[in-house]
Amino acid sequence: MKKIEAIVRHYKLEDVKNALSEQGVSGMTITEVRGFGRQKGHTEMYRGTEYAVDFVPKVKVEVVIDDDRLQMVVDTILKAAQTGQIGDGKVFVSELTETIRIRTGETGGEAL
């Protein structure tokens, strides 16, 4: 099993969610996060004063899938989240050693 974490722009969340649902992804976790990469934040004006915004708000989408669906899910996220602009985000893929459904005690792929 794999865990995919995608950091995307707020306004792309609905596109990513809908695209994943169309591909049969049945569950995901969404978290509002803040961070920076190459952008290193940006500056904004507020009441005539310029100030630095070091951490840019983003959304983290987490999905756990079977190994055979990995490339399809990653491609779906990339297509739905991409704008071609700096700050589109990142996708991280991790190996999961175990998954357990608390309610039933099911493990592995059955727990998904």
Side-chain angles (χ1 to χ4, degrees):
M1 286 179 294
K2 303 285 190 229
K3 178 179 180 181
I4 300 171
E5 295 176 84
I7 311 297
V8 300
R9 298 174 187 270
H10 274 89
Y11 68 88
K12 289 304 233 171
L13 174 60
E14 199 65 27
D15 295 341
V16 171
K17 181 189 75 132
N18 292 337
L20 288 173
S21 294
E22 287 174 11
Q23 294 297 327
V25 174
S26 59
M28 64 188 75
T29 301
I30 307 300
T31 310
E32 291 199 24
V33 297
R34 299 173 65 82
F36 67 89
R38 290 186 184 165
Q39 283 177 277
K40 305 227 179 357
H42 61 277
T43 58
E44 290 185 3
M45 293 291 285
Y46 180 71
R47 295 188 179 188
T49 304
E50 187 174 292
Y51 67 97
V53 177
D54 294 331
F55 294 101
V56 180
K58 301 283 183 171
V59 177
K60 179 165 67 169
V61 179
E62 295 175 275
V63 179
V64 177
I65 54 160
D66 287 319
D67 291 345
D68 58 333
R69 301 185 70 204
L70 173 65
Q71 197 58 53
M72 180 272 300
V73 172
V74 169
D75 291 344
T76 299
I77 293 169
L78 291 175
K79 184 177 177 187
Q82 187 176 42
T83 68
Q85 305 284 322
I86 292 174
D88 274 352
K90 297 269 193 292
V91 175
F92 305 99
V93 179
S94 306
E95 183 74 34
L96 286 182
T97 57
E98 188 64 74
T99 302
I100 303 165
R101 179 174 287 145
I102 294 173
R103 179 178 54 89
T104 61
E106 295 170 299
T107 61
E110 294 174 0
L112 298 179

